[in-house]
Amino acid sequence: MRVITSDVLVIGAGLAGERAAIACAKEELDVILLSLVPPRRSHSSAAQGGMQAALGNSVKGKGDNPTVHWLDTVKGSDWGADQEVARIFADNAPIAMREMAHYGVPWNRVEGGPREVYIKGKKTTIVEDHKKEGLITARDFGGTAKWRTCYTADGTGHTVLYTMDNMVVQLGIPVHDRMEALQLIHADGRCYGAVVRSLRDGELITYLSKSTVIATGGYGRIYGESTNAIINEGTGSWLALQTGVVPLANMEAVQFHPTGIVPTDILVTEGCRGDGGLLLDVDGYRFMPDYEPEKQELASRDVVSRRMKEHMLKGKGVQSPYGEHLWLDLRHLGEQHLKTKLREVYDICMYFIGVNPITELIPVRPTQHYSMGGIRANKDGHAYNLEGLFALGEVACWDMHGFNRLGGNSLAETVVAGMVVGNKIAEYTKKATLTADVTLAEEFANKEVAKIERMLNAAQGENVYKLRDEIAELLVKHVHIFRTEEGLTKGAEGLLDVVKRTQNIKVRSQAKGMNPELASALRIEGMAKQAYLIAKGALDRTESRGAHSREDYPERNDEKWLNRTLARWPDVTGAPDFTYEPVGILDLPPGDRGYGGGKMINMKETIEEYNHKVAQEQAQHGRLETSEPIGEKLPKELWKEEFKEAQ
């Protein structure tokens, strides 16, 4: 069995993985990137709308600063975020955007003088400052006080990923693509690398490294109806869950994007609404101002999705052979705007559903889009309980998103976390030693060999595709936008049954290499177990917070649930362990987000009492020591002064 060694092994070659690899390579560390697909085919390239950073160059971003961005992020998270991590993110986002420009990203720029825009559905003339001409501009996005979403038309993910991949090539970082990590090699609280399968010929290879990094994106395809790429099946988070010691956090926090097109569920960017797009019902009536008079179509994603579903439940949806939907109206933006700043949206509508958005309404519905939960990591990106393992990007619960992510914050997180956490990985790796324990590596590899042989040689067993469909059906039916105890109980029970059946898979196709059925069979246990964690976590959390909306518990309950769910699966055939930790040190006291409505049950303890227990309790749950004390990057009550200055 081949053994390959490196200083740093990065699993996942999208934006987060590549940016972390660049940070390590710049420190002259030996880095290897693993990827299911060629890097430029990573799901990062599908991101359309933009990246949030408080540059304040546009006239509608005047007065913006990282503190205002931080405030929006914490409020958007419904106070579920780690406020220090949100601060690290907001402070570093402007640096990362300018760095991307230096690397070659062709950001849209400020053009001085008057221009017409749509604000809250009305055509308005704004005048851009000539002194700002040529600087990175911004568009409006949901849940923000200022326009701060940096963009390249509506192909931001594409341009940034191609630019990043150029840097990888320039630095000579080797990329091993069409490779899938099956299991982490670990012992005695330390990660040593991974067992990897070649999707070309089925060869199993062990990679040993000083540091192992997971940056594989989300798990959206577990839902079936998702804006995610078909490769986003939770492979990275499954690597962590298999260890039995690394927890997955907040798995019940699942975001639904308001505008997945029908019937394909491909995303059309929030930039559509940021640029003035309107949501209409079956009667052609614009309904969002009735629900959210202040933010309207640009409330946060969890709120808009909920309002859309609520409106459809009132009988105002459009019936179609592909299910109920609403309309997105972009016609008033005009042909030039749609073929330039929203050109990808135009192409998607024309080529995938045969709708011309210049003259026709676009059928849309809320669709699973993003996973706020993932591998629990401290502010350095170091995974809980397993030294030498790091996670960043969507696969990680870092945790700047809490229970709802603002649009543009995730794409920005990939490069910001890639920069910040990447530097921490390099710092750790320089001090670490390579332990090339070939015997341990072979022990883990032999487990995978036995599993593959068992699936290929089974006389009979479950069909992996049918199990995958059952998982999706249970989630869509019972663990969707609105949740109830009855539905979640049925969903959890059904998913637990699927988990048990994944132990008896029969693979019909006998090819060991290019065999999609075998690849799916190797992932299905992880998909089923993660789906169960979503349902069970949602069932146990008896409140509504952000994207987690319980009809039977409509209040946000800060007295009981101002915490983060942690789930481990220590025994393969047993049940998972659920525990809870504080969300992190609080600087902004829990309060009303300013949109979305709903009632709150306030916490009884003081902020000081809450903060006093954070470090100890998180350490008890497996948080490894950070390079500096927690709370160090969270300036106490700076927001009070800086927010006033931004007004």
Side-chain angles (χ1 to χ4, degrees), residues 221-416:
R221 274 292 147 188
I222 293 176
Y223 266 81
E225 294 177 1
S226 174
T227 66
N228 285 200
I230 58 172
I231 59 173
N232 287 28
E233 294 183 325
T235 55
S237 35
W238 171 227
L239 287 173
L241 189 63
Q242 283 183 92
T243 66
V245 297
V246 179
L248 301 187
N250 284 352
M251 291 295 281
E252 66 269 32
V254 181
Q255 183 176 82
F256 294 83
H257 196 290
T259 53
I261 60 174
V262 179
T264 63
D265 292 309
I266 296 172
L267 174 70
V268 291
T269 174
E270 188 162 315
C272 292
R273 288 171 287 125
D275 288 3
L278 308 175
L279 290 169
L280 309 179
D281 65 16
V282 66
D283 302 318
Y285 177 71
R286 183 185 174 208
F287 58 89
M288 277 305 298
D290 295 347
Y291 295 102
E292 300 293 334
E294 177 58 32
K295 293 289 188 180
Q296 301 176 9
E297 278 84 359
L298 287 173
S300 62
R301 289 177 177 178
D302 63 316
V303 172
V304 178
S305 293
R306 217 160 32 245
R307 296 305 195 189
M308 290 173 71
K309 188 71 174 177
E310 188 178 339
H311 201 61
M312 286 191 281
L313 289 171
K314 291 179 180 178
K316 293 297 182 178
V318 181
Q319 301 301 322
S320 83
Y322 310 106
E324 196 172 12
H325 64 80
L326 293 162
W327 299 115
L328 176 63
D329 187 4
L330 305 180
R331 296 172 298 179
H332 52 290
L333 300 183
E335 182 174 354
Q336 182 180 1
H337 189 101
L338 287 168
K339 287 189 174 181
T340 54
K341 293 187 177 180
L342 294 173
R343 61 177 181 253
E344 203 166 288
V345 169
Y346 173 80
D347 287 344
I348 287 170
C349 291
M350 290 291 287
Y351 296 140
F352 286 93
I353 57 174
V355 169
N356 184 347
I358 297 170
T359 58
E360 299 174 273
L361 299 172
I362 305 168
V364 294
R365 65 185 172 204
T367 306
Q368 193 286 336
H369 178 61
Y370 188 81
S371 43
M372 276 76 73
I375 301 169
R376 181 66 183 124
N378 66 17
K379 68 176 181 178
D380 292 343
H382 218 152
Y384 276 32
N385 282 322
L386 203 57
E387 187 184 343
L389 178 66
F390 294 82
L392 71 160
E394 188 176 349
V395 74
C397 185
W398 190 26
D399 165 30
M400 54 168 279
H401 302 303
F403 271 75
N404 178 65
R405 168 177 78 83
L406 294 184
N409 264 3
S410 173
L411 197 59
E413 181 194 11
T414 61
V415 294
V416 174

Side-chain angles (χ1 to χ4, degrees), residues 477-511:
K477 187 173 182 180
H478 300 299
V479 200
H480 215 255
I481 294 175
F482 290 114
R483 300 167 175 182
T484 64
E485 181 176 359
E486 180 184 3
L488 291 170
T489 300
K490 289 179 180 177
E493 289 174 350
L495 288 165
L496 192 56
D497 176 63
V498 175
V499 167
K500 294 173 183 175
R501 289 158 58 200
T502 61
Q503 302 302 309
N504 180 32
I505 301 289
K506 164 62 181 172
V507 175
R508 275 73 179 169
S509 175
Q510 291 297 298

Side-chain angles (χ1 to χ4, degrees), residues 168-182:
V168 167
V169 173
Q170 287 179 39
L171 291 168
I173 301 171
V175 178
H176 298 186
D177 63 18
R178 296 180 178 84
M179 306 288 279
E180 180 170 9
L182 299 180

